[in-house]
């Protein structure tokens, strides 16, 4: 089987939609009120050191993904054990994305339909595109990203007459502690999840493009999320935003242009489906690829269907309700994800630098 190669532009599109994920619809975590947009900007800056580590790992091991790196650096046994942890993380993250979409369908879009049905529809689509190959996912993402940017731009322009700038004043009204706390949470649930993208880096050939993909993804996705966050705050106010499960949908529903343009919130729902689809698909691809590497399977495609169906089922029962899911997402997730996003990648990078340095020293000595 020929190795899959995805163009850099397509991979940037996948990265942008992956970072946008569910955050554009659920809003940002935390208690900083009208300063959430400031926390988002700080989170983008905070993510830079982590993304530099991820990009450096790609330079040290060109043509290899996260699981290859773990096995090479930590050895066959320990590397495969840690790989199993990342398989779980990717699997859980994909299930969380599906569950958020399921809760939106149950509470707003399809209130009379069992939550499993819309999750199954999106999940089966994810299974199909992953089995078709990551090149198909990349081509889809490039087109879907253009649609996502266009929808957000049009909605922001149409909402300008309803923006009330007093909602973001005074700045930092909840104090800097809440802003910095939200910075950590926002970075964790959005940009630090870039470690999952490292699990697909074996599909890009040029070792110098890892930094371009990651930083391009952060910059574009950050601007998309920032525009949605400011729109929600300026239209609804921080108190209303904090009380809503899906503030982007509610803010878009308040936009009317005369008597001929209304129900614009349907377009934001389509964007939510797109970002959920890309994020869950990438998580499924990475989990399947990791499983194939750990158990030395010929192709990751042989486990995509089984893993995808398990992801859908897990998403259905992992949380009791929306409140429990939000509590995990906003309060627990940043601690749960810290080893996956920071500790293990940092240890991997340090060990990789030592290993490569020793290898170069031996070559010079010989």
């Amino acid at each position: 089987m020929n190795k899959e190669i995805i163009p850099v532009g397509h991979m940037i599109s996948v990265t942008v939609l992956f970072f946008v994920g569910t955050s554009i619809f659920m809003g940002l975590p935390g208690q900083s009120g009208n300063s959430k947009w400031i926390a988002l900007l700080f989170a983008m800056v905070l993510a830079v050191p982590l993304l530099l580590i991820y990009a450096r790992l790609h330079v040290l091991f060109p043509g290899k993904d996260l699981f290859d790196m773990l096995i090479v650096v930590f050895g066959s046994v320990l590397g495969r054990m840690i790989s199993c942890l990342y398989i779980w993380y990717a699997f859980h993250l994909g299930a969380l994305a599906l569950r958020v979409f399921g809760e939106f369908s149950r509470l707003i879009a399809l209130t009379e339909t069992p939550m499993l049905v819309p999750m199954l529809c999106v999940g089966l689509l994810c299974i199909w595109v992953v089995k078709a190959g990551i090149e198909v996912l990349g081509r889809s993402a490039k087109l879907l990203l253009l649609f996502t940017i266009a929808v957000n731009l049009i909605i922001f322009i149409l909402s300008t007459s309803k923006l009330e700038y007093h909602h973001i004043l005074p700045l930092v009204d909840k104090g800097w502690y809440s802003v910095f706390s939200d910075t950590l949470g926002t970075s964790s649930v959005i940009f630090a999840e870039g470690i999952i993208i490292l699990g697909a880096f074996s599909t890009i050939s040029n070792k110098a493009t890892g930094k371009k993909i990651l930083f391009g993804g952060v910059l574009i996705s950050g601007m998309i999320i920032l525009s949605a966050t400011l729109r929600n705050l300026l239209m609804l106010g921080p108190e209303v935003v904090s009380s809503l499960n899906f503030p982007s949908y509610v803010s878009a529903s308040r936009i009317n242009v005369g008597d001929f343009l209304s129900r614009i919130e349907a377009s934001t729902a389509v964007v939510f489906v797109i970002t959920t689809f890309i994020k869950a698909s990438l998580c499924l691809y990475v989990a399947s690829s990791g499983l194939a590497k750990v158990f030395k399977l010929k192709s990751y495609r042989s486990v995509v269907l089984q893993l995808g169906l398990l992801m859908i089922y897990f998403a259905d029962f992992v949380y009791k309700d929306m409140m429990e899911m939000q509590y995990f997402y906003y309060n627990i997730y940043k601690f749960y994800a810290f080893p996956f996003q920071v500790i293990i990648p940092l240890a991997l990078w340090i060990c990789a630098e030592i290993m490569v340095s020793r290898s170069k020293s031996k070559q010079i000595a010989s």
Side-chain angles (χ1 to χ4, degrees):
M1 184 181 66
N2 294 330
K3 182 180 178 181
E4 294 178 299
I5 299 295
I6 181 172
V8 174
H10 292 181
M11 195 63 192
I12 291 176
S13 300
V14 172
T15 303
V16 171
L17 293 174
F18 175 83
F19 282 148
V20 171
T22 57
S23 301
I24 193 173
F25 226 63
M26 285 186 67
L28 301 178
Q31 305 297 321
S32 56
N34 64 0
S35 301
K36 285 186 177 182
W37 64 279
I38 299 177
L40 173 62
L41 294 175
F42 285 170
M44 294 172 65
V45 176
L46 183 65
V48 169
L50 282 179
L51 298 179
L52 287 173
I53 291 175
Y54 302 161
R56 177 59 180 168
L57 286 170
H58 179 59
V59 172
L60 293 174
F61 301 102
K64 296 186 182 296
D65 60 24
L66 174 63
F67 305 103
D68 295 321
M69 298 173 191
L70 289 169
I71 293 171
V72 169
V73 173
F74 294 122
S76 179
V77 177
L78 181 59
R80 281 181 164 82
M81 290 174 63
I82 299 175
S83 294
C84 288
L85 295 177
Y86 275 104
I87 292 169
W88 161 254
Y89 179 55
F91 177 84
H92 189 190
L93 193 59
L96 178 59
L98 289 176
R99 179 56 184 262
V100 173
F101 175 71
E103 290 289 351
F104 168 74
S105 301
R106 183 177 67 87
L107 296 174
I108 296 177
L110 303 168
T111 56
E112 300 298 324
T113 304
M115 184 175 62
L116 182 61
V117 175
M119 289 196 303
L120 185 63
C121 293
V122 175
L124 291 175
L125 185 61
C126 295
I127 292 170
W128 173 80
V129 78
V130 173
K131 284 184 73 71
I134 195 167
E135 299 109 320
V136 177
L137 181 64
R139 289 194 295 268
S140 303
K142 187 174 183 180
L143 179 63
L144 295 174
L145 176 60
L146 294 175
F147 177 80
T148 299
I149 293 174
V151 167
N152 278 276
L153 183 61
I154 291 171
I155 290 178
F156 192 86
I157 293 173
L158 294 177
S159 67
T160 51
S161 62
K162 295 182 178 294
L163 301 183
E164 301 179 18
Y165 295 95
H166 66 86
H167 284 313
I168 62 171
L169 298 175
L171 292 176
V172 199
D173 63 331
K174 298 292 181 67
W176 283 108
Y177 176 81
S178 62
V179 173
F180 292 139
S181 177
D182 287 358
T183 297
L184 294 175
T186 301
S187 181
S188 176
V189 301
I190 303 178
F191 306 117
E193 290 178 349
I195 190 64
I196 295 295
I197 299 167
L198 195 61
F201 264 18
S202 61
T203 59
I204 57 175
S205 56
N206 187 353
K207 66 179 182 180
T209 56
K211 190 182 295 185
K212 181 179 179 181
I213 289 170
L214 291 170
F215 282 92
V218 167
L219 183 62
I220 299 172
S221 63
M223 293 302 101
I224 293 173
I225 299 171
L226 180 63
S227 66
T229 302
L230 284 173
R231 185 189 74 229
N232 296 341
L233 286 171
L234 293 173
M235 288 186 69
L236 305 174
E239 291 79 13
V240 176
V241 169
S242 299
S243 66
L244 295 173
N245 294 322
F246 304 103
S248 292
Y249 184 85
V250 175
S251 64
S253 68
R254 298 191 177 185
I255 299 174
N256 293 294
V257 180
D259 296 325
F260 65 94
L261 186 59
S262 60
R263 302 294 295 176
I264 299 175
E265 67 271 17
S267 61
T268 65
V270 174
V271 169
F272 186 36
V273 174
I274 289 171
T275 56
T276 300
F277 161 64
I278 296 296
K279 185 165 188 174
S281 295
L282 185 61
C283 288
L284 179 58
Y285 170 81
V286 171
S288 301
S289 178
L291 207 60
K293 296 285 175 63
V294 169
F295 293 102
K296 300 180 181 179
L297 304 178
K298 291 183 179 180
S299 173
Y300 70 88
R301 289 180 171 89
S302 61
V303 295
V304 170
L305 177 61
Q306 300 90 324
L307 208 58
L309 292 176
L310 284 173
M311 185 181 287
I312 297 167
Y313 179 64
F314 184 72
D316 188 49
F317 76 82
V318 63
Y319 304 111
K320 182 175 64 176
D321 51 28
M322 183 71 181
M323 296 294 292
E324 184 177 287
M325 184 188 69
Q326 282 186 320
Y327 181 79
F328 173 82
Y329 186 75
Y330 291 140
N331 299 286
I332 299 176
Y333 180 81
K334 58 187 174 183
F335 302 108
Y336 161 76
F338 188 74
F340 300 106
Q341 297 174 347
V342 180
I343 296 177
I344 298 176
L346 186 61
L348 176 63
W349 169 58
I350 293 173
C351 294
E353 292 284 4
I354 294 172
M355 189 179 74
V356 172
S357 177
R358 288 178 177 177
S359 177
K360 289 181 179 179
S361 299
K362 288 181 181 179
Q363 289 178 357
I364 295 173
S366 61

